[in-house]
Amino acid sequence: MNKQLATKLKTLPNTPGVYFHKDSSGEIIYIGKAANLKNRVRQYFQSSKRFDNKTLSLVEEIVDTDWREVETELDALFLESEMIKRYLPKFNVLLRDDKSHTYIRIDFKNDWPTVTFTRNPLDDGADYYGPYYAGSGVKQAMQILRRIFPYFTKLPKTGQRPSLDAHIGLEPDRAKVTSAEYKRHLHYLVRLMRGERLQLIKDLEKAMGVAAARQDYEQAKLLRDQILTLKELRKRIIFGDKESIDISKDQALADLQQLLNLPKLPARIEGYDVSHQSGTNVAASMVVFKNGASSRADYRKFKLYTTKNDDYAGMREVITRRLKHLDTWGKPDLIIIDGGQGQLNAVADLLQAEKIPYIGRNKSGDHTRNADTQLIFPCGDGHYTTSVAQSVHIVKLIARIDEESHRFAVSYHTALKRKNQVKSVLDDIPGVGVKTKATLKKLGGVARLRTMSETELAKHIGKARAKAIKNVL
């Protein structure tokens, strides 16, 4: 360890946080989390007898270390995960056996939604929160929060007696709580996950006052207990509380603000991409990064009406549709467009009219981190392009957002393609509805219909429908 680093490590705080080990070129080679930064980081430079060969190799390359303090251990879990996905440090790949993430899944479309954990988010209509490394830490936090806002982990069966979890207050008693009330409390839980703890406490205090005024003392007591426990959470694990994270310490956000001359740090960045196959199954994605970290709950997908091989028209359509929701979804501080001059020219007037800053990233179709990165900026009535080194913090963040928007767009495009592949040849025939198709299925399906005469088929579904079907087949 060099003298400069030794001096720097003396200033390590006794707080939770994320640390960044760097090599002689300044490249981040490992990112880790710590409940106590001072204790954890110093362990790398103490006795090496218990280190394996990979860790020894890491320590030998460490020339500098930076860190970012947070308020809680769970903040560190979230931040570590996002920073690893942004910088892809080589030793995180070498030293991690489990490279996947943990997501929290809530199926709000169900009458009695469940809260579960998964490593593979699906396009199934449920809400996903994450990702998080170290799933055990996330699960421990959720156990604490479950005592404040009880939830189901398995779908309850009709007529089933209250479970043991209901008796000890870990899940709601359906005899005392309606589905609407249960969902409202789940949304309280989600607000905690989004870092709205302080505002949530204020809202619950107002609700407690209303309950007391109407002499609903049982409800007022429940709200009081929730408020007290929420206040105590600050001393324990708090789920995703971004109120305490100083985003000005995110170098990429600070550099973006300076480069683009933004009035404030870009706390909400949105990325867009369009995906299709020769103009079919055209899909688009909107991914959202808040305070430099992905916010999956805010993602949106679009099935485009632009059904042709025109990326410019597709991008203009998705931005047009997005801007209709500024009041409900929020206004972005910065938009990143996947594509070159053509894509930016197609949407420039829309974004400039709303005074939303934007830039483009052109990789000539290559969405990997190793692609030559060209950033495209608005300039007067046009745009100018500049190449940027891959090691720059801004490029790491933009590449992360661009890859995520590309992944999300491709996944939706694939889902649309699969859906259309199983589409029946009968779906587009006028007059053939659900009941008719059910009848035809009983007759043996499309294969059987091809061999039947029109007269025979008419006995089952009528002359008009039989003629239409035989004409198509």
Side-chain angles (χ1 to χ4, degrees), residues 383-397:
H383 301 90
Y384 74 93
T385 302
T386 181
S387 296
V388 184
Q390 295 296 320
S391 59
V392 175
H393 291 290
I394 290 177
V395 172
K396 299 289 187 183
L397 174 59

Side-chain angles (χ1 to χ4, degrees), residues 20 27-28 31 82-90 250-252 369 391-394 396-397 400:
F20 306 80
E27 184 77 13
I28 295 174
I31 296 174
E82 189 55 49
M83 292 298 105
I84 289 174
K85 294 178 75 175
R86 181 191 301 183
Y87 288 98
L88 298 177
K90 63 180 183 180
D250 190 317
Q251 190 62 49
R369 292 291 177 100
S391 59
V392 175
H393 291 290
I394 290 177
K396 299 289 187 183
L397 174 59
R400 165 83 178 99

Side-chain angles (χ1 to χ4, degrees), residues 76 125 211-212 216 223 233 241 352 409:
D216 187 352
L223 292 169
L233 277 180
D241 182 6
Q352 290 170 2

Side-chain angles (χ1 to χ4, degrees), residues 190-336:
V190 170
R191 289 182 62 182
L192 273 176
M193 291 191 264
R194 292 180 175 173
E196 301 177 19
R197 181 177 60 92
L198 295 182
Q199 185 59 48
L200 177 58
I201 290 175
K202 293 179 181 179
D203 292 344
L204 292 178
E205 287 175 339
K206 292 180 181 178
M208 181 179 66
V210 172
R214 66 170 183 261
Q215 297 184 345
D216 187 352
Y217 299 119
E218 184 176 352
Q219 177 67 8
K221 180 181 181 300
L222 173 62
L223 292 169
R224 183 203 63 187
D225 292 342
Q226 290 176 335
I227 293 166
L228 292 175
T229 311
L230 283 174
K231 290 180 177 179
E232 287 296 315
L233 277 180
R234 194 162 185 256
K235 301 176 183 178
R236 303 173 69 180
I237 295 178
I238 181 167
F239 192 81
D241 182 6
K242 299 179 181 63
E243 295 161 340
S244 62
I245 295 180
D246 182 2
I247 64 172
S248 66
K249 294 182 180 179
D250 190 317
Q251 190 62 49
L253 296 180
D255 290 347
L256 270 176
Q257 181 186 16
Q258 182 178 9
L259 178 66
L260 301 176
N261 195 27
L262 302 176
K264 62 178 183 176
L265 284 169
R268 181 187 174 103
I269 302 177
E270 296 179 1
Y272 292 85
D273 192 13
V274 175
S275 179
H276 60 86
Q277 186 176 34
S278 301
T280 62
N281 301 309
V282 187
S285 65
M286 178 189 95
V287 299
V288 180
F289 279 60
K290 292 182 176 179
N291 299 338
S294 61
S295 179
R296 190 179 177 89
D298 294 297
Y299 286 15
R300 296 290 185 273
K301 57 190 178 184
F302 302 83
K303 181 178 179 181
L304 299 189
Y305 307 118
T306 306
T307 56
K308 54 184 179 179
N309 193 2
D310 189 340
D311 288 346
Y312 306 156
M315 188 62 70
R316 184 172 181 86
E317 179 187 330
V318 69
I319 294 299
T320 300
R321 290 167 61 180
R322 162 63 180 102
L323 295 178
K324 294 179 181 179
H325 300 280
L326 289 177
D327 292 336
T328 53
W329 296 356
K331 187 174 182 178
D333 300 311
L334 176 65
I335 280 180
I336 297 176

